[in-house]
Amino acid sequence: MYERDSILVSVPGTFTSKPNKPSCWRRWKQLSRLQRSLIMILLFIGATAFAAYFLQVDSRSVPNAWAPQEKPPSHLERSGQHADGDVGAEPQVRFRPIKRGPPAHRSKVALGDNQMKGEKPNLALPELREIDIRWRGSLIGISKAPNLQGEEVAVKGGDKPAVGTLKAKVKNQRQQAVVEAFRHAWLGYRRFAWGRDELRPVSQGYKEWFGLGLTLLDALDTMWIMGLQEEFEEARKWVASELNFNKNVDVNLFECTIRILGGLLSTFHLTGDKLFLDKATDLGVRLLPAFGTPSHIPYSDVNLGKGTAHGPKWTSDSTVAEVTSIQLEFRELSWLTGDERFREAAEAVTRHVRDLAGKTDGLVPMFISTQTGHFTHSNTLTLGARADSYYEYLLKQWLQGGKREQLLLDSYLEAISGVQKHLLGKSQPNQLTFVGELVNGELRPKMDHLVCFLPGTLALGTRHGLDPSHLQLAEKLANTCYQMYRQTETGLSAEISYFNTQSDAKQDISIKPADKHNLLRPETVESLFYLYWITGNHKYQDWGWDILQSINLHTKVPSGGYTSIANVCSRDNPQPRDKMESFFLSETLKYLYLLFSDNLTLISPDTHVFNTEAHPLPIHTEP
Ligand code: DMJ
C-alpha cells in the first residue's frame, strides 16, 4: 500500500515525460478510489494555499500608496525626546511602495506585543482610497469660510466637578470642520496606534515614549467637549481595563503631568466619572518621588513603577519651565483628594523660584540645579523653549486660586514688564512686534513658535482686570504669530522664525534650514481663541480658519492622522516627518473648536483655567 502510494506521489511528473505512455485519464482510472481521493485532497489543499497566497498579496498592495521606510517600533523610548527639544531635523524620509499585512493581521501586531492586552476596539478598516504618489497632504472640501451658525450646549464649570452627561452639541460649519479633522486624526490613531503613545501616520505605525497611551489620554477631554460620545466611550473602556501606571518606565515629570495628569483631572471634572480621579491620584502618588532632591527642585524623570527619580544623564539641572509648570495639576489633585502632599511639593518649587536670585526684571534663565537650587546657564533669557510656561503658570495659578495669591500676580506683572523692557523688537519693513531673546545682554530677533502662547496669556490677564495695555500688546503679537504662518509657502509656521530689523530688509521673517519644521503646535490658535473670546473680533476666527485649511492641505495623511512636516517653506514637498504629536488632539484642535464657538459659555475661561496642554480645570473662587 505504501509503495503504491509513493508511486502515486510521482504521478504529476509523468504528465510530460516519455511518449507512448498511457493517457492521464487511463492512469487516473487505474487508481484505487482511496488513491484518487488522496490526490484530490492534495490538489485541493494546494489550490487553496495558492489562492490564499495571491489574495493576501493583493490585499497588501495599496494602489499607489507610498510610505517611508518603516522602522521597528522602539519601546519606551527615553524621555530625552521632549517635544519641545525636538528641534533637530529628523533624517529625511525615504519613500518606497509599501506592502502591508492584511488588516486583521496588522491589528494583531499592533495590539499584541506588550502588556497592553485586553478588550480590543473594533478596528474594521474603511476602504483605503487611492493616494497620490507624491506627498501632497490632502485637500479638504471647503475653501471658502462658511457662515458661523449653530448653538452649543454649555458644559457646567465652577468650583465643583461638572458631573456631566455628554449631550450632542449643535456645531456650526467651522466647528464641524474641526470635528472632521479630529475624527480623521482619531481614525489613524485607532487603526494603527491604539493604546500607544503616538501615531506614525505615514508608516501606519506607532511610537512609544512612556508606554501609557499618551495620545488617548491627552485627547479624552477634547472628545468630550466635541460631543464625540462613541469615541469617548471606547477610550474610557481602555482606561478602565488597560491603563496601568505600575510599570518600570521612566517618564518626564513635566510631560506626564501636563498631558496625562492634566488630561485625567479635566476629564474627571467634565464627566464626574471617578475612574479618572482614581487614575489621576495613582499617577500623582507615583510622580512624587521626583521631588526628593536636596533642593526640592524636582528631577526631570521619575520611574513610575520603582519610585526612583533622576535627572538627564548629562546634567543635574532641570528645566525652569518644566519645574514651574506642574503646579496647576498638583494643586487641583490636592483640592480633589484632600491629600496636601501634591500641593506642598509643587508650591515649594514656586516659593523657591520666587525668592531666587538671578532673575532680570522678573525674567528667568532656562535651567535650575536640582542640587543647589540655583539658576544655571544664565546668559539667555527667552519666552520660548525651557522658560515659556513659567510665565503662563504664574498668571494661571493666580486665577485658579481665585485671585488671592498676590505674590503670584506680582511675579507675573514684574515678568511682563521685563518682557516689555528687554525682549520686544520691531521688524522691517512691516513693523511686526516680536519677542526676541536676550543673549549676554543683546537682543536676538529669534522667536520660537512656542512664544505665541504669550498673546493669549496677556489677553487672559486683561479679562481679569490687569493693565489694558497688555491687550494691545497681545493683539500686535497675535498678528505677528499669524504672519509667521501667512508668510510661508505652506501657510504653516516654522518652529523658529527670525525677524529682520535692518532698514533695507525686504521681508520681515527669515527661516533657517534647521528651523523649517512644524509640529502642529497649538500656541497661535490658543492665542486666537483668547483674543476672539475677549475682543469678539471675527478676524481671529478667520485667521484660525486659514490655519486649519493649511493644516488640512499639507499635513493630512489620507489613511488617517496628521503628520508633522520638515519643511514649511515648500508647498510641493513639505516632507512629512511621520509623527502626530498628542498635543495636536489635546490642544490645537480643541482651541480651534473653541475659537469657532458662537456660544462662549462652553468651557469659558471665566470659570476654567486651561493648563499648558489645554486641559480645562476649575477656577476655585471659594477658599
Ligand atoms: C505642549 O506640550 C504644551 O503646550 C507645552 O506647554 C509646550 N509644548 C507643547 C505644545 O507645543
Side-chain angles (χ1 to χ4, degrees):
M1 192 60 187
Y2 269 108
E3 269 184 6
R4 284 183 72 180
D5 284 351
S6 67
I7 292 166
L8 286 173
V9 173
S10 69
V11 165
T14 64
F15 286 151
T16 54
S17 43
K18 300 165 194 158
N20 301 328
K21 277 176 39 159
S23 77
C24 291
W25 178 244
R26 275 186 52 214
R27 294 189 71 160
W28 176 254
K29 295 292 281 178
Q30 285 166 359
L31 298 175
S32 73
R33 179 176 291 180
L34 175 65
Q35 289 167 329
R36 286 203 298 252
S37 303
L38 272 171
I39 289 173
M40 291 302 285
I41 288 167
L42 282 173
L43 283 174
F44 177 76
I45 291 170
T48 311
F50 186 76
Y53 174 78
F54 277 100
L55 278 176
Q56 187 179 7
V57 167
D58 206 26
S59 72
R60 284 172 180 177
S61 315
V62 180
N64 290 337
W66 291 67
Q69 297 272 13
E70 287 183 52
K71 291 179 203 148
S74 51
H75 281 279
L76 306 180
E77 293 186 18
R78 284 258 317 140
S79 55
Q81 294 150 346
H82 186 304
D84 296 339
D86 188 14
V87 290
E90 277 185 358
Q92 283 290 308
V93 180
R94 281 204 296 131
F95 287 84
R96 66 173 173 78
I98 51 170
K99 284 188 177 174
R100 306 184 199 98
H105 173 63
R106 255 187 298 134
S107 303
K108 270 190 212 143
V109 170
L111 289 166
D113 62 348
N114 82 349
Q115 315 161 40
M116 301 179 192
K117 291 192 230 98
E119 189 165 343
K120 290 170 193 163
N122 171 14
L123 289 163
L125 300 180
E127 283 285 292
L128 282 175
R129 274 176 296 131
E130 205 154 290
I131 303 169
D132 227 347
I133 288 182
R134 226 156 38 103
W135 172 263
R136 292 289 314 265
S138 68
L139 272 168
I140 55 167
I142 311 163
S143 57
K144 270 178 76 184
N147 291 330
L148 296 174
Q149 287 161 358
E151 287 175 10
E152 293 137 3
V153 177
V155 176
K156 257 178 68 192
D159 289 331
K160 302 219 170 63
V163 178
T165 48
L166 190 54
K167 294 179 190 155
K169 297 177 182 68
V170 181
K171 300 164 185 89
N172 63 46
Q173 283 176 281
R174 285 181 173 183
Q175 284 185 303
Q176 275 168 17
V178 183
V179 173
E180 282 316 304
F182 183 94
R183 281 212 161 107
H184 187 79
W186 196 246
L187 170 76
Y189 178 73
R190 193 169 168 276
R191 292 172 85 185
F192 307 121
W194 182 253
R196 306 295 183 164
D197 284 341
E198 290 163 330
L199 169 67
R200 297 181 71 101
V202 181
S203 55
Q204 305 187 343
Y206 58 83
K207 183 172 176 189
E208 292 289 40
W209 184 10
F210 306 145
L212 296 173
L214 181 65
T215 296
L216 185 150
L217 299 173
D218 219 1
L220 283 168
D221 59 5
T222 306
M223 290 186 270
W224 182 271
I225 289 167
M226 290 182 177
L228 296 174
Q229 182 145 14
E230 260 178 47
E231 290 85 348
F232 181 86
E233 289 304 331
E234 188 177 57
R236 187 207 177 274
K237 275 188 196 151
W238 185 89
V239 174
S241 62
E242 302 300 312
L243 180 58
N244 171 20
F245 293 125
N246 189 16
K247 277 185 164 180
N248 178 10
V249 56
D250 283 344
V251 301
N252 176 283
L253 170 69
F254 163 73
E255 299 290 359
C256 198
T257 299
I258 65 167
R259 301 190 197 210
I260 300 183
L261 184 57
L264 291 168
L265 288 171
S266 70
T267 306
F268 169 67
H269 169 66
L270 293 171
T271 62
D273 183 341
K274 192 149 174 304
L275 167 71
F276 299 108
L277 178 58
D278 290 345
K279 292 291 181 186
T281 310
D282 181 26
L283 176 60
V285 170
R286 291 173 186 279
L287 292 174
L288 282 175
F291 295 86
T293 64
S295 65
H296 301 298
I297 296 298
Y299 286 121
S300 59
D301 293 80
V302 55
N303 188 298
L304 294 183
K306 290 189 190 162
T308 53
H310 58 87
K313 281 203 185 88
W314 57 93
T315 176
S316 66
D317 292 351
S318 285
T319 297
V320 170
E322 292 194 359
V323 302
T324 56
S325 310
I326 48 182
Q327 281 69 14
L328 290 177
E329 300 80 359
F330 276 72
R331 281 154 50 112
E332 177 61 15
L333 193 52
S334 285
W335 260 303
L336 289 170
T337 60
D339 184 341
E340 287 300 311
R341 285 180 300 165
F342 307 113
R343 175 198 299 280
E344 278 160 16
E347 290 190 346
V349 180
T350 311
R351 283 194 300 276
H352 179 92
V353 173
R354 188 186 65 218
D355 298 336
L356 194 58
K359 300 191 202 90
T360 305
D361 294 319
L363 303 176
V364 290
M366 296 190 291
F367 296 98
I368 187 166
S369 164
T370 54
Q371 304 304 302
T372 67
H374 294 145
F375 290 126
T376 64
H377 306 85
S378 299
N379 61 337
T380 301
L381 299 176
T382 175
L383 261 77
R386 303 190 183 281
D388 48 359
S389 43
Y390 162 73
Y391 304 98
E392 178 188 350
Y393 268 37
L394 290 175
L395 179 75
K396 289 185 173 176
Q397 284 179 85
W398 176 67
L399 295 177
Q400 180 193 34
K403 305 185 195 173
R404 283 182 289 272
E405 296 149 294
Q406 183 63 32
L407 294 176
L408 287 166
L409 178 62
D410 292 346
S411 298
Y412 173 73
L413 291 174
E414 189 191 0
I416 299 305
S417 298
V419 170
Q420 289 169 319
K421 185 168 168 193
H422 298 288
L423 301 184
L424 296 184
K426 287 231 185 260
S427 69
Q428 298 288 352
N430 291 311
Q431 307 294 307
L432 298 178
T433 302
F434 64 85
V435 182
E437 295 185 349
L438 202 66
V439 182
N440 296 321
E442 297 249 322
L443 182 65
R444 282 178 77 203
K446 164 183 181 266
M447 185 164 160
D448 294 355
H449 183 274
L450 288 167
V451 182
C452 290
F453 81 93
L454 184 61
T457 300
L458 288 170
L460 177 63
T462 65
R463 171 78 174 192
H464 291 277
L466 303 188
D467 186 346
S469 74
H470 289 188
L471 184 57
Q472 289 162 15
L473 177 58
E475 296 218 58
K476 286 182 191 155
L477 291 174
N479 178 46
T480 303
C481 291
Y482 176 56
Q483 293 306 324
M484 284 158 63
Y485 285 73
R486 280 284 294 201
Q487 297 192 14
T488 69
E489 262 200 27
T490 54
L492 294 170
S493 170
E495 177 74 0
I496 299 172
S497 299
Y498 284 82
F499 288 84
N500 297 320
T501 52
Q502 308 85 339
S503 54
D504 59 346
K506 298 272 179 303
Q507 56 182 32
D508 294 273
I509 295 173
S510 299
I511 298 168
K512 299 196 171 175
D515 305 330
K516 284 181 177 173
H517 48 291
N518 177 294
L519 307 187
L520 302 170
R521 286 194 190 276
E523 291 78 17
T524 295
V525 294
E526 169 184 353
S527 285
L528 298 181
F529 158 64
Y530 284 111
L531 278 161
Y532 172 63
W533 171 65
I534 287 158
T535 66
N537 188 335
H538 287 288
K539 84 176 172 192
Y540 296 116
Q541 290 184 317
D542 295 341
W543 292 357
W545 181 249
D546 287 350
I547 291 171
L548 178 62
Q549 304 262 21
S550 299
I551 289 173
N552 273 318
L553 189 55
H554 298 295
T555 74
K556 188 172 180 180
V557 180
S559 52
Y562 288 76
T563 180
S564 305
I565 56 172
N567 188 1
V568 297
C569 301
S570 171
R571 190 182 294 133
D572 291 333
N573 187 17
Q575 299 171 17
R577 285 168 57 132
D578 195 16
K579 185 168 168 190
M580 184 173 78
E581 302 278 351
S582 72
F583 52 68
F584 178 62
L585 286 81
S586 73
E587 296 196 73
T588 310
L589 293 177
K590 186 189 287 150
Y591 281 128
L592 280 167
Y593 182 81
L594 295 174
L595 166 65
F596 298 142
S597 170
D598 306 313
N599 175 356
L600 296 176
T601 58
L602 174 77
I603 312 284
S604 162
D606 281 338
T607 50
H608 296 79
V609 65
F610 288 81
N611 85 340
T612 192
E613 189 75 3
H615 297 303
L617 301 172
I619 285 177
H620 296 268
T621 48
E622 304 293 321

